[in-house]
Amino acid sequence: MSDQTKAQPVKVNDNAEGVDRKLTNYGDPGFSRFLRRAFLSSAGLDTEDLSRPIVGIVNTASDYTTCHRDMPQLIEHVKRGVLEAGGLPFVFPVMSLGEILTSPTTMLFRNLMAMELEEQIRAQPMDSVVLLGGCDKTVPAELMAAASADVPAIALVVGPMSVGSYKGERLGACTDCRRIWTDYRGGQIDEASMAEVNQELAPTAGTCMVMGTASTMACLAEALGMSLPFAGTAPAVSSQRLRLAVQTGRRAVEIGAADRRPSHVMTAGAFHNAITVLAAIAGSTNAIIHLTAIARRLNIRIGLNEFHNIFSQVPHLTDCKPAGSNYLPDMHRDGGVPALLKTLEPLLDLNALTITGESMRESLQDQSPPQKWQETIRTLSHPLGPTGSLVTLTGSLAPGGAVIKAAAASKHLLVHEGTACVFDSLQDLAERLDDETLGLTADHVLVLRNIGPVGAGMPEAGAIPIPQYLAREGVRDMVRISDGRMSGTAYGTIVLHCTPEAAAGGPLALIRDGDKIRLDVPNRVVDLLVEQAELDRRKADFTSRPPPERGWQRLHATSVLQASQGADLDFLQ
Ligand code: FES
């Protein structure tokens, strides 16, 4: 197809301001403006209202997203801030992705949400937009959309839940959910206790309060400069969260006037800072995929080696589950992301612009480093753990890369050679994992394939449960390998995101029961110890599965990139 015959994207009138932006196309701009005013006056808006800049507010509240239960209250406070600063708030709904009530996985829909929001920002008049999110995929989807639309944007999350307690022990979603479930499978907890614990794991509105994916992305939005200081960690139920909402609304009007766009804030330096924070918080492995995807929307390429270069320089500084013992409200009490950034100052790009208009250097000028009593955030001279909390791997099992959260793995398994037991799908896993005739031992390596981006939309199934009969014997960890993801709240010696994935014909597709696998985290290697000639023979027998027949799932399976490229759709970058 020649350039002349290629379809061109529809152009919108973006020189106008406020309500006159992006006119509906009737072929008569004057009529469009006239009609727009008629319908907006039906909504109770007068000439004075319509002379104001418009701030779009993304509403991702949904009964299916329990973490966003308090979002309506947050929206009211953002609106107040917008009005106080002379703007006109317009709330609009965008699909909401709640982790627990979405099948088969929210990751399958992250790109759909990003695409929907990008088009809504492009299509509707707004001088700036407030990205309200929280639950795992909502924040990356919103940042991807904002990056592509490149309209001034500011992020605000709903904030973490408060911590629950059971018989004197603090607990919360979802690291403790997994630990308690493992104990239940191992026969250490009875049904009655499970019912009681169940009421305490998610005791308030807000996102999971460990350093899972939601908390990680909230901290990274702050480190990227896309949200206000302390917005990443202030508890969902705190008055500070409400004050942050008002301040975010005011700031949204200011960034619109200043034309401060995501491309001005999310620069290569900002991603350097975000990856530095990711390493220091031993955050979710999912953030590696999300940051890669957001950056690629801005034409910034971050490969696994770039992640490694930063991971290998930054020690583990925050003491939050699953790679620690505390929770997000503790981190907030101890100074939140600003205190952490102050500690990390020598490792940051201090010229990076933040959403306030200040550079990172300026925003940290008056910030104190964590004091002695602030134990959840450590200093570079007294870290909680060594560098390399997250490790990117390569090797014959994952030539395109894989990742492991070393800070949440068992030390004795970081170098391990074991015999593979292979599960072909989630169905296969459910049917056979607890079958004692498999004769598994703690030294086996559990392999789950066909759960990569193409194969299954990349569910968080990489934290394969310990077989029940081994759990009863007290086994709490084994080496587990997949082309899927795991929840940021999960822990164990778990290799994830193997690339190329099995459905794309990667080496994972060629493993057979009984093969030997060697994991060597210090040397960043995961190898399949099978002769190349034998692998070539197996490869000749490989046939790929057909994609889903229709709809979004077909578009996703036929367009999605591999994990190391951010698992975005190839035509959205
Ligand atoms: Fe929503 Fe964990 S389920 S943040």
Side-chain angles (χ1 to χ4, degrees), residues 304-333:
L304 291 181
N305 277 337
E306 278 82 53
F307 279 101
H308 167 70
N309 289 342
I310 299 175
F311 292 163
S312 61
Q313 303 287 320
V314 183
H316 179 195
L317 297 183
T318 57
D319 186 4
C320 290
K321 290 183 177 186
S325 51
N326 291 311
Y327 299 87
L328 259 285
D330 304 310
M331 179 177 166
H332 183 69
R333 179 203 61 213

PDB file of all heavy atoms in Angstrom, residues 304-333:
ATOM      1  N   LEU A 304      15.694  -5.866  29.552  1.00  0.00           N
ATOM      2  CA  LEU A 304      15.950  -6.515  30.839  1.00  0.00           C
ATOM      3  C   LEU A 304      17.353  -6.206  31.350  1.00  0.00           C
ATOM      4  O   LEU A 304      17.587  -6.184  32.560  1.00  0.00           O
ATOM      5  CB  LEU A 304      15.733  -8.030  30.717  1.00  0.00           C
ATOM      6  CG  LEU A 304      14.259  -8.445  30.517  1.00  0.00           C
ATOM      7  CD1 LEU A 304      14.139  -9.961  30.439  1.00  0.00           C
ATOM      8  CD2 LEU A 304      13.362  -7.910  31.625  1.00  0.00           C
ATOM      9  N   ASN A 305      18.281  -5.919  30.450  1.00  0.00           N
ATOM     10  CA  ASN A 305      19.630  -5.561  30.906  1.00  0.00           C
ATOM     11  C   ASN A 305      19.651  -4.206  31.599  1.00  0.00           C
ATOM     12  O   ASN A 305      20.384  -4.010  32.567  1.00  0.00           O
ATOM     13  CB  ASN A 305      20.626  -5.551  29.739  1.00  0.00           C
ATOM     14  CG  ASN A 305      21.122  -6.948  29.461  1.00  0.00           C
ATOM     15  OD1 ASN A 305      21.082  -7.816  30.345  1.00  0.00           O
ATOM     16  ND2 ASN A 305      21.546  -7.192  28.236  1.00  0.00           N
ATOM     17  N   GLU A 306      18.817  -3.282  31.104  1.00  0.00           N
ATOM     18  CA  GLU A 306      18.739  -1.971  31.777  1.00  0.00           C
ATOM     19  C   GLU A 306      18.155  -2.150  33.187  1.00  0.00           C
ATOM     20  O   GLU A 306      18.621  -1.530  34.143  1.00  0.00           O
ATOM     21  CB  GLU A 306      17.865  -0.987  30.987  1.00  0.00           C
ATOM     22  CG  GLU A 306      18.583  -0.312  29.836  1.00  0.00           C
ATOM     23  CD  GLU A 306      18.634  -1.176  28.588  1.00  0.00           C
ATOM     24  OE1 GLU A 306      17.587  -1.647  28.148  1.00  0.00           O
ATOM     25  OE2 GLU A 306      19.747  -1.393  28.074  1.00  0.00           O
ATOM     26  N   PHE A 307      17.143  -3.009  33.302  1.00  0.00           N
ATOM     27  CA  PHE A 307      16.609  -3.298  34.642  1.00  0.00           C
ATOM     28  C   PHE A 307      17.715  -3.881  35.519  1.00  0.00           C
ATOM     29  O   PHE A 307      17.903  -3.464  36.662  1.00  0.00           O
ATOM     30  CB  PHE A 307      15.440  -4.290  34.558  1.00  0.00           C
ATOM     31  CG  PHE A 307      14.128  -3.654  34.183  1.00  0.00           C
ATOM     32  CD1 PHE A 307      13.642  -3.727  32.885  1.00  0.00           C
ATOM     33  CD2 PHE A 307      13.372  -2.976  35.126  1.00  0.00           C
ATOM     34  CE1 PHE A 307      12.437  -3.139  32.536  1.00  0.00           C
ATOM     35  CE2 PHE A 307      12.152  -2.380  34.791  1.00  0.00           C
ATOM     36  CZ  PHE A 307      11.686  -2.468  33.490  1.00  0.00           C
ATOM     37  N   HIS A 308      18.457  -4.833  34.966  1.00  0.00           N
ATOM     38  CA  HIS A 308      19.516  -5.471  35.757  1.00  0.00           C
ATOM     39  C   HIS A 308      20.557  -4.451  36.216  1.00  0.00           C
ATOM     40  O   HIS A 308      21.006  -4.491  37.371  1.00  0.00           O
ATOM     41  CB  HIS A 308      20.188  -6.587  34.950  1.00  0.00           C
ATOM     42  CG  HIS A 308      21.455  -7.054  35.580  1.00  0.00           C
ATOM     43  ND1 HIS A 308      21.482  -7.780  36.757  1.00  0.00           N
ATOM     44  CD2 HIS A 308      22.755  -6.854  35.225  1.00  0.00           C
ATOM     45  CE1 HIS A 308      22.732  -8.019  37.092  1.00  0.00           C
ATOM     46  NE2 HIS A 308      23.525  -7.469  36.191  1.00  0.00           N
ATOM     47  N   ASN A 309      20.943  -3.539  35.323  1.00  0.00           N
ATOM     48  CA  ASN A 309      21.983  -2.562  35.680  1.00  0.00           C
ATOM     49  C   ASN A 309      21.570  -1.752  36.912  1.00  0.00           C
ATOM     50  O   ASN A 309      22.398  -1.424  37.756  1.00  0.00           O
ATOM     51  CB  ASN A 309      22.255  -1.615  34.508  1.00  0.00           C
ATOM     52  CG  ASN A 309      22.965  -2.333  33.382  1.00  0.00           C
ATOM     53  OD1 ASN A 309      23.540  -3.404  33.598  1.00  0.00           O
ATOM     54  ND2 ASN A 309      22.888  -1.787  32.183  1.00  0.00           N
ATOM     55  N   ILE A 310      20.288  -1.447  37.004  1.00  0.00           N
ATOM     56  CA  ILE A 310      19.822  -0.677  38.179  1.00  0.00           C
ATOM     57  C   ILE A 310      19.618  -1.608  39.373  1.00  0.00           C
ATOM     58  O   ILE A 310      20.036  -1.306  40.497  1.00  0.00           O
ATOM     59  CB  ILE A 310      18.544   0.113  37.835  1.00  0.00           C
ATOM     60  CG1 ILE A 310      18.861   1.112  36.707  1.00  0.00           C
ATOM     61  CG2 ILE A 310      18.003   0.837  39.068  1.00  0.00           C
ATOM     62  CD1 ILE A 310      17.670   1.889  36.186  1.00  0.00           C
ATOM     63  N   PHE A 311      18.978  -2.760  39.142  1.00  0.00           N
ATOM     64  CA  PHE A 311      18.742  -3.706  40.245  1.00  0.00           C
ATOM     65  C   PHE A 311      20.056  -4.060  40.958  1.00  0.00           C
ATOM     66  O   PHE A 311      20.077  -4.277  42.170  1.00  0.00           O
ATOM     67  CB  PHE A 311      18.109  -5.002  39.735  1.00  0.00           C
ATOM     68  CG  PHE A 311      16.686  -4.850  39.223  1.00  0.00           C
ATOM     69  CD1 PHE A 311      16.118  -5.837  38.431  1.00  0.00           C
ATOM     70  CD2 PHE A 311      15.921  -3.743  39.544  1.00  0.00           C
ATOM     71  CE1 PHE A 311      14.818  -5.720  37.969  1.00  0.00           C
ATOM     72  CE2 PHE A 311      14.616  -3.609  39.078  1.00  0.00           C
ATOM     73  CZ  PHE A 311      14.063  -4.603  38.290  1.00  0.00           C
ATOM     74  N   SER A 312      21.141  -4.139  40.179  1.00  0.00           N
ATOM     75  CA  SER A 312      22.403  -4.581  40.774  1.00  0.00           C
ATOM     76  C   SER A 312      23.102  -3.468  41.565  1.00  0.00           C
ATOM     77  O   SER A 312      24.110  -3.707  42.219  1.00  0.00           O
ATOM     78  CB  SER A 312      23.347  -5.112  39.686  1.00  0.00           C
ATOM     79  OG  SER A 312      23.631  -4.074  38.771  1.00  0.00           O
ATOM     80  N   GLN A 313      22.553  -2.242  41.480  1.00  0.00           N
ATOM     81  CA  GLN A 313      23.164  -1.110  42.201  1.00  0.00           C
ATOM     82  C   GLN A 313      22.389  -0.726  43.465  1.00  0.00           C
ATOM     83  O   GLN A 313      22.890   0.018  44.294  1.00  0.00           O
ATOM     84  CB  GLN A 313      23.160   0.145  41.308  1.00  0.00           C
ATOM     85  CG  GLN A 313      23.845  -0.002  39.974  1.00  0.00           C
ATOM     86  CD  GLN A 313      25.343  -0.059  40.122  1.00  0.00           C
ATOM     87  OE1 GLN A 313      25.900   0.672  40.930  1.00  0.00           O
ATOM     88  NE2 GLN A 313      25.981  -0.939  39.385  1.00  0.00           N
ATOM     89  N   VAL A 314      21.141  -1.179  43.543  1.00  0.00           N
ATOM     90  CA  VAL A 314      20.240  -0.638  44.574  1.00  0.00           C
ATOM     91  C   VAL A 314      19.929  -1.711  45.621  1.00  0.00           C
ATOM     92  O   VAL A 314      19.370  -2.757  45.288  1.00  0.00           O
ATOM     93  CB  VAL A 314      18.914  -0.154  43.932  1.00  0.00           C
ATOM     94  CG1 VAL A 314      18.005   0.473  44.979  1.00  0.00           C
ATOM     95  CG2 VAL A 314      19.195   0.824  42.805  1.00  0.00           C
ATOM     96  N   PRO A 315      20.240  -1.457  46.890  1.00  0.00           N
ATOM     97  CA  PRO A 315      19.887  -2.435  47.918  1.00  0.00           C
ATOM     98  C   PRO A 315      18.400  -2.390  48.265  1.00  0.00           C
ATOM     99  O   PRO A 315      17.702  -1.433  47.946  1.00  0.00           O
ATOM    100  CB  PRO A 315      20.741  -2.005  49.116  1.00  0.00           C
ATOM    101  CG  PRO A 315      21.029  -0.563  48.898  1.00  0.00           C
ATOM    102  CD  PRO A 315      20.994  -0.308  47.425  1.00  0.00           C
ATOM    103  N   HIS A 316      17.971  -3.428  48.927  1.00  0.00           N
ATOM    104  CA  HIS A 316      16.584  -3.529  49.360  1.00  0.00           C
ATOM    105  C   HIS A 316      16.419  -2.667  50.618  1.00  0.00           C
ATOM    106  O   HIS A 316      17.081  -2.908  51.631  1.00  0.00           O
ATOM    107  CB  HIS A 316      16.283  -5.013  49.645  1.00  0.00           C
ATOM    108  CG  HIS A 316      14.906  -5.269  50.121  1.00  0.00           C
ATOM    109  ND1 HIS A 316      14.542  -6.454  50.713  1.00  0.00           N
ATOM    110  CD2 HIS A 316      13.786  -4.517  50.095  1.00  0.00           C
ATOM    111  CE1 HIS A 316      13.267  -6.410  51.039  1.00  0.00           C
ATOM    112  NE2 HIS A 316      12.782  -5.257  50.666  1.00  0.00           N
ATOM    113  N   LEU A 317      15.504  -1.682  50.573  1.00  0.00           N
ATOM    114  CA  LEU A 317      15.430  -0.709  51.669  1.00  0.00           C
ATOM    115  C   LEU A 317      14.119  -0.724  52.455  1.00  0.00           C
ATOM    116  O   LEU A 317      14.080  -0.205  53.566  1.00  0.00           O
ATOM    117  CB  LEU A 317      15.645   0.719  51.121  1.00  0.00           C
ATOM    118  CG  LEU A 317      17.008   1.019  50.486  1.00  0.00           C
ATOM    119  CD1 LEU A 317      17.067   2.483  50.060  1.00  0.00           C
ATOM    120  CD2 LEU A 317      18.149   0.704  51.423  1.00  0.00           C
ATOM    121  N   THR A 318      13.049  -1.227  51.891  1.00  0.00           N
ATOM    122  CA  THR A 318      11.774  -1.128  52.618  1.00  0.00           C
ATOM    123  C   THR A 318      11.366  -2.486  53.187  1.00  0.00           C
ATOM    124  O   THR A 318      11.484  -3.509  52.523  1.00  0.00           O
ATOM    125  CB  THR A 318      10.640  -0.595  51.714  1.00  0.00           C
ATOM    126  OG1 THR A 318      10.520  -1.449  50.590  1.00  0.00           O
ATOM    127  CG2 THR A 318      10.898   0.813  51.280  1.00  0.00           C
ATOM    128  N   ASP A 319      10.844  -2.424  54.393  1.00  0.00           N
ATOM    129  CA  ASP A 319      10.503  -3.658  55.109  1.00  0.00           C
ATOM    130  C   ASP A 319       8.994  -3.911  55.023  1.00  0.00           C
ATOM    131  O   ASP A 319       8.265  -3.709  55.988  1.00  0.00           O
ATOM    132  CB  ASP A 319      10.949  -3.506  56.571  1.00  0.00           C
ATOM    133  CG  ASP A 319      10.775  -4.800  57.345  1.00  0.00           C
ATOM    134  OD1 ASP A 319      10.389  -5.811  56.740  1.00  0.00           O
ATOM    135  OD2 ASP A 319      11.018  -4.782  58.567  1.00  0.00           O
ATOM    136  N   CYS A 320       8.548  -4.313  53.846  1.00  0.00           N
ATOM    137  CA  CYS A 320       7.120  -4.606  53.637  1.00  0.00           C
ATOM    138  C   CYS A 320       6.966  -6.009  53.075  1.00  0.00           C
ATOM    139  O   CYS A 320       7.774  -6.438  52.247  1.00  0.00           O
ATOM    140  CB  CYS A 320       6.511  -3.615  52.644  1.00  0.00           C
ATOM    141  SG  CYS A 320       6.353  -1.943  53.283  1.00  0.00           S
ATOM    142  N   LYS A 321       5.908  -6.692  53.492  1.00  0.00           N
ATOM    143  CA  LYS A 321       5.611  -8.004  52.924  1.00  0.00           C
ATOM    144  C   LYS A 321       5.375  -7.860  51.421  1.00  0.00           C
ATOM    145  O   LYS A 321       4.909  -6.816  50.999  1.00  0.00           O
ATOM    146  CB  LYS A 321       4.353  -8.581  53.585  1.00  0.00           C
ATOM    147  CG  LYS A 321       4.569  -8.978  55.034  1.00  0.00           C
ATOM    148  CD  LYS A 321       3.326  -9.599  55.619  1.00  0.00           C
ATOM    149  CE  LYS A 321       3.631 -10.056  57.061  1.00  0.00           C
ATOM    150  NZ  LYS A 321       2.542 -10.800  57.680  1.00  0.00           N
ATOM    151  N   PRO A 322       5.704  -8.827  50.581  1.00  0.00           N
ATOM    152  CA  PRO A 322       6.143 -10.170  50.936  1.00  0.00           C
ATOM    153  C   PRO A 322       7.655 -10.298  51.163  1.00  0.00           C
ATOM    154  O   PRO A 322       8.100 -11.350  51.578  1.00  0.00           O
ATOM    155  CB  PRO A 322       5.726 -11.000  49.716  1.00  0.00           C
ATOM    156  CG  PRO A 322       5.818 -10.042  48.578  1.00  0.00           C
ATOM    157  CD  PRO A 322       5.424  -8.706  49.134  1.00  0.00           C
ATOM    158  N   ALA A 323       8.436  -9.226  50.899  1.00  0.00           N
ATOM    159  CA  ALA A 323       9.879  -9.318  51.111  1.00  0.00           C
ATOM    160  C   ALA A 323      10.243  -8.542  52.369  1.00  0.00           C
ATOM    161  O   ALA A 323      11.201  -7.771  52.391  1.00  0.00           O
ATOM    162  CB  ALA A 323      10.619  -8.773  49.890  1.00  0.00           C
ATOM    163  N   GLY A 324       9.478  -8.726  53.423  1.00  0.00           N
ATOM    164  CA  GLY A 324       9.696  -8.024  54.680  1.00  0.00           C
ATOM    165  C   GLY A 324       8.575  -8.396  55.620  1.00  0.00           C
ATOM    166  O   GLY A 324       7.879  -9.399  55.407  1.00  0.00           O
ATOM    167  N   SER A 325       8.370  -7.570  56.668  1.00  0.00           N
ATOM    168  CA  SER A 325       7.375  -7.989  57.643  1.00  0.00           C
ATOM    169  C   SER A 325       6.284  -6.953  57.899  1.00  0.00           C
ATOM    170  O   SER A 325       5.350  -7.219  58.648  1.00  0.00           O
ATOM    171  CB  SER A 325       8.077  -8.326  58.963  1.00  0.00           C
ATOM    172  OG  SER A 325       8.920  -7.255  59.332  1.00  0.00           O
ATOM    173  N   ASN A 326       6.371  -5.761  57.305  1.00  0.00           N
ATOM    174  CA  ASN A 326       5.397  -4.709  57.582  1.00  0.00           C
ATOM    175  C   ASN A 326       4.452  -4.475  56.404  1.00  0.00           C
ATOM    176  O   ASN A 326       4.443  -5.239  55.443  1.00  0.00           O
ATOM    177  CB  ASN A 326       6.127  -3.423  57.967  1.00  0.00           C
ATOM    178  CG  ASN A 326       6.806  -3.565  59.310  1.00  0.00           C
ATOM    179  OD1 ASN A 326       6.206  -4.014  60.279  1.00  0.00           O
ATOM    180  ND2 ASN A 326       8.080  -3.211  59.363  1.00  0.00           N
ATOM    181  N   TYR A 327       3.703  -3.386  56.512  1.00  0.00           N
ATOM    182  CA  TYR A 327       2.643  -3.105  55.537  1.00  0.00           C
ATOM    183  C   TYR A 327       2.748  -1.655  55.063  1.00  0.00           C
ATOM    184  O   TYR A 327       3.446  -0.837  55.672  1.00  0.00           O
ATOM    185  CB  TYR A 327       1.282  -3.352  56.190  1.00  0.00           C
ATOM    186  CG  TYR A 327       1.090  -4.784  56.639  1.00  0.00           C
ATOM    187  CD1 TYR A 327       1.513  -5.204  57.894  1.00  0.00           C
ATOM    188  CD2 TYR A 327       0.504  -5.725  55.787  1.00  0.00           C
ATOM    189  CE1 TYR A 327       1.353  -6.522  58.304  1.00  0.00           C
ATOM    190  CE2 TYR A 327       0.327  -7.042  56.190  1.00  0.00           C
ATOM    191  CZ  TYR A 327       0.757  -7.436  57.448  1.00  0.00           C
ATOM    192  OH  TYR A 327       0.603  -8.744  57.847  1.00  0.00           O
ATOM    193  N   LEU A 328       2.010  -1.337  54.008  1.00  0.00           N
ATOM    194  CA  LEU A 328       2.091   0.007  53.413  1.00  0.00           C
ATOM    195  C   LEU A 328       1.780   1.133  54.405  1.00  0.00           C
ATOM    196  O   LEU A 328       2.462   2.164  54.397  1.00  0.00           O
ATOM    197  CB  LEU A 328       1.162   0.099  52.197  1.00  0.00           C
ATOM    198  CG  LEU A 328       1.844  -0.033  50.830  1.00  0.00           C
ATOM    199  CD1 LEU A 328       2.597   1.237  50.446  1.00  0.00           C
ATOM    200  CD2 LEU A 328       2.794  -1.219  50.786  1.00  0.00           C
ATOM    201  N   PRO A 329       0.755   0.983  55.274  1.00  0.00           N
ATOM    202  CA  PRO A 329       0.537   2.078  56.238  1.00  0.00           C
ATOM    203  C   PRO A 329       1.759   2.318  57.120  1.00  0.00           C
ATOM    204  O   PRO A 329       2.008   3.456  57.544  1.00  0.00           O
ATOM    205  CB  PRO A 329      -0.666   1.574  57.054  1.00  0.00           C
ATOM    206  CG  PRO A 329      -1.407   0.679  56.096  1.00  0.00           C
ATOM    207  CD  PRO A 329      -0.333  -0.015  55.313  1.00  0.00           C
ATOM    208  N   ASP A 330       2.552   1.286  57.388  1.00  0.00           N
ATOM    209  CA  ASP A 330       3.788   1.475  58.160  1.00  0.00           C
ATOM    210  C   ASP A 330       4.792   2.291  57.344  1.00  0.00           C
ATOM    211  O   ASP A 330       5.452   3.190  57.873  1.00  0.00           O
ATOM    212  CB  ASP A 330       4.408   0.116  58.522  1.00  0.00           C
ATOM    213  CG  ASP A 330       3.440  -0.770  59.280  1.00  0.00           C
ATOM    214  OD1 ASP A 330       2.854  -0.285  60.261  1.00  0.00           O
ATOM    215  OD2 ASP A 330       3.259  -1.932  58.880  1.00  0.00           O
ATOM    216  N   MET A 331       4.894   1.952  56.085  1.00  0.00           N
ATOM    217  CA  MET A 331       5.828   2.692  55.225  1.00  0.00           C
ATOM    218  C   MET A 331       5.399   4.160  55.134  1.00  0.00           C
ATOM    219  O   MET A 331       6.239   5.066  55.150  1.00  0.00           O
ATOM    220  CB  MET A 331       5.866   2.056  53.834  1.00  0.00           C
ATOM    221  CG  MET A 331       6.786   2.775  52.866  1.00  0.00           C
ATOM    222  SD  MET A 331       6.864   1.949  51.269  1.00  0.00           S
ATOM    223  CE  MET A 331       7.635   3.228  50.271  1.00  0.00           C
ATOM    224  N   HIS A 332       4.086   4.370  55.060  1.00  0.00           N
ATOM    225  CA  HIS A 332       3.604   5.753  54.981  1.00  0.00           C
ATOM    226  C   HIS A 332       3.944   6.520  56.262  1.00  0.00           C
ATOM    227  O   HIS A 332       4.451   7.640  56.208  1.00  0.00           O
ATOM    228  CB  HIS A 332       2.097   5.758  54.746  1.00  0.00           C
ATOM    229  CG  HIS A 332       1.562   7.143  54.587  1.00  0.00           C
ATOM    230  ND1 HIS A 332       1.847   7.930  53.488  1.00  0.00           N
ATOM    231  CD2 HIS A 332       0.801   7.917  55.401  1.00  0.00           C
ATOM    232  CE1 HIS A 332       1.282   9.110  53.626  1.00  0.00           C
ATOM    233  NE2 HIS A 332       0.648   9.128  54.780  1.00  0.00           N
ATOM    234  N   ARG A 333       3.695   5.875  57.412  1.00  0.00           N
ATOM    235  CA  ARG A 333       4.003   6.512  58.706  1.00  0.00           C
ATOM    236  C   ARG A 333       5.488   6.872  58.772  1.00  0.00           C
ATOM    237  O   ARG A 333       5.885   7.889  59.339  1.00  0.00           O
ATOM    238  CB  ARG A 333       3.638   5.527  59.825  1.00  0.00           C
ATOM    239  CG  ARG A 333       3.899   5.996  61.243  1.00  0.00           C
ATOM    240  CD  ARG A 333       4.041   4.791  62.166  1.00  0.00           C
ATOM    241  NE  ARG A 333       5.146   3.960  61.765  1.00  0.00           N
ATOM    242  CZ  ARG A 333       5.183   2.617  61.893  1.00  0.00           C
ATOM    243  NH1 ARG A 333       4.157   1.971  62.394  1.00  0.00           N
ATOM    244  NH2 ARG A 333       6.250   1.943  61.505  1.00  0.00           N
TER     245      ARG A 333
END
